[in-house]
Amino acid sequence: AQSVTQLDSQVPVFEEAPVELRCNYSSSVSVYLFWYVQYPNQGLQLLLKYLSGSTLVKSINGFEAEFNKSQTSFHLRKPSVHISDTAEYFCAVSDGGATNKLIFGTGTLLAVQP
Amino acid sequence: NAGVTQTPKFQVLKTGQSMTLQCAQDMNHNSMYWYRQDPGMGLRLIYYSASEGTTDKGEVPNGYNVSRLNKREFSLRLESAAPSQTSVYFCASNVGWTDTQYFGPGTRLTVL
């Protein structure tokens, strides 16, 4: 069975500092990986995804994630965070198929401090 | 486009009461999903509908039923609410497996 592990429940960081949110997955089949972001009192929004091709994927607001098959990881990074990046970040894995059922990690709260 | 809409936004129930959470999407998506979100547990899939006329159980279906009324609407029913069903419920939809899932704003349900 597939699973996703986000070891850090909360990551405090100062504004303009770099950040890495860790995500590891387990799967016996090909995987498709996603990062979703949830701002306070809102639904989830896709941040970026890996389906195939280049293992480094980027979002429009400066986040990037690298698919590492040997380490079964898909860590999310940003070189310089802003106060507005404060949110909960969820890593998710899908094995494809007609329904795209997603298995979510438990989430990491990124708390950016001035 | 309104995207994915959910009603109500908030609801308080007493144990044993029933209610239906409504979800609608205007993006002509084939697949729709119901999740619940609990602190420290991420999102867990309750039921999904791969296409109009089909529904299947997800990870935590017990105590819930669903109806895919048409291509736009997918409702979630609690027949006899229990305190363990206190949660935030999200509906989502997408076209197919490579497509992003689009989420609604959520329904915050409290069962006393």
Side-chain angles (χ1 to χ4, degrees), chain B residues 7-8 11 13 17-21 76-79 107 109:
Chain B
T7 56
Q11 184 71 48
L13 293 177
Q17 288 185 317
S18 63
M19 79 161 296
T20 299
L21 282 64
L76 178 72
R77 183 161 178 83
L78 286 70
E79 290 291 351
T107 294
L109 175 67

Side-chain angles (χ1 to χ4, degrees), chain A residues 28 33 43 51 53 61 76 79 82 97 102:
Chain A
S28 59
L33 296 157
L51 301 180
N61 58 352
L76 183 69
H82 303 289
L102 292 177

